[in-house]
Amino acid sequence: FIKPLELSKFNIINNASTVILFSNVEQIVFLNMKLLKDLEERLYLEEELSISKNNNTGFDSTSLTNNINRRLSNINDNRSVNELVVPQSSISVVKKGSLIVTASLASFANIFLNYAPLFKLYCQYAQNYAAAMLTMDESLEDPLFADFIEKCEADVRCQNQKFSSFFIQPIQRVPRYILLLNELGKHC
């Protein structure tokens, strides 16, 4: 919604209303993309560690490092495995039934701790939420803006969601992170 509004040659909505509507959502999207990337990298490392342990071949750190680097090469990141994985000496593996649980699961929580200061972006968004809803209601009274929103909602990328439903998603994100971390904690 943001980019088409900004790129539109028609003055669908003024800049002040755009700022109020979308607040710092672009920063939040960037934060979430980076967080997701870091979590996926950690997951790849965990999977590789688990595969190595399940093969009953012991810990071949060279093979493990090569396998992890191979998987990470798909991520287009210049960091080496040494910057992404916890030191092998700090990993303990415990078998619980058929599930291999590593002490490095705490590293998922550490990723969230590293991002914690940036979660203040959500506070800024939440503080602006009421003003954004008011601006949205007022803007939808303009037929040009209403038509624009209707066309955007019809886009397959919106998955049949209404424009207004996207506004609550950043508000719901932090509680979902808390639920995720609590669920991870149950399995450590």
Side-chain angles (χ1 to χ4, degrees):
F1 292 98
I2 298 171
K3 292 299 177 198
L5 275 174
E6 290 174 347
L7 298 174
S8 174
K9 59 184 172 188
F10 306 106
N11 191 13
I12 296 175
I13 188 172
N14 64 46
N15 288 340
S17 293
T18 302
V19 168
I20 293 170
L21 269 177
F22 297 107
S23 183
N24 61 340
V25 76
E26 288 179 299
Q27 293 171 316
I28 290 172
V29 168
F30 180 78
L31 166 65
N32 279 286
M33 288 171 42
K34 180 72 174 116
L35 175 61
L36 176 61
K37 182 179 178 196
D38 287 354
L39 290 170
E40 285 175 337
E41 288 172 354
R42 173 85 280 167
L43 183 60
Y44 290 147
L45 298 174
E46 294 294 331
E47 287 174 357
E48 200 59 51
L49 177 65
S50 182
I51 289 167
S52 294
K53 281 308 223 182
N54 284 331
N55 286 340
N56 295 324
T57 59
F59 239 13
D60 176 6
S61 62
T62 304
S63 173
L64 177 62
T65 301
N66 289 339
N67 287 338
I68 291 170
N69 276 329
R70 178 181 42 79
R71 283 185 169 203
L72 291 177
S73 67
N74 297 332
I75 300 176
N76 293 331
D77 196 330
N78 294 328
R79 291 180 287 173
S80 71
V81 68
N82 297 328
E83 297 173 68
L84 297 169
V85 70
V86 291
Q88 185 174 331
S89 61
S90 70
I91 299 174
S92 63
V93 179
V94 179
K95 188 164 184 164
K96 289 186 177 181
S98 62
L99 178 66
I100 302 253
V101 179
T102 69
S104 63
L105 281 176
S107 64
F108 285 103
N110 286 335
I111 290 171
F112 281 95
L113 286 174
N114 288 335
Y115 281 91
L118 298 174
F119 289 162
K120 291 178 183 176
L121 291 170
Y122 288 99
C123 293
Q124 180 184 347
Y125 183 87
Q127 290 169 345
N128 185 63
Y129 183 76
M133 294 297 92
L134 182 61
T135 301
M136 181 180 62
D137 290 343
E138 291 170 355
S139 298
L140 284 171
E141 292 174 9
D142 178 352
L144 188 60
F145 182 74
D147 184 55
F148 170 80
I149 294 302
E150 189 176 308
K151 287 177 183 171
C152 286
E153 289 174 344
D155 188 306
V156 68
R157 293 173 290 179
C158 286
Q159 300 176 343
N160 295 321
Q161 292 187 57
K162 294 291 181 193
F163 178 61
S164 59
S165 70
F166 290 102
F167 283 93
I168 194 66
Q169 290 179 0
I171 304 288
Q172 296 169 333
R173 182 66 54 130
V174 173
R176 287 180 180 164
Y177 288 151
I178 294 168
L179 292 172
L180 172 65
L181 291 171
N182 284 336
E183 198 60 32
L184 279 173
K186 290 179 186 177
H187 299 285
C188 288

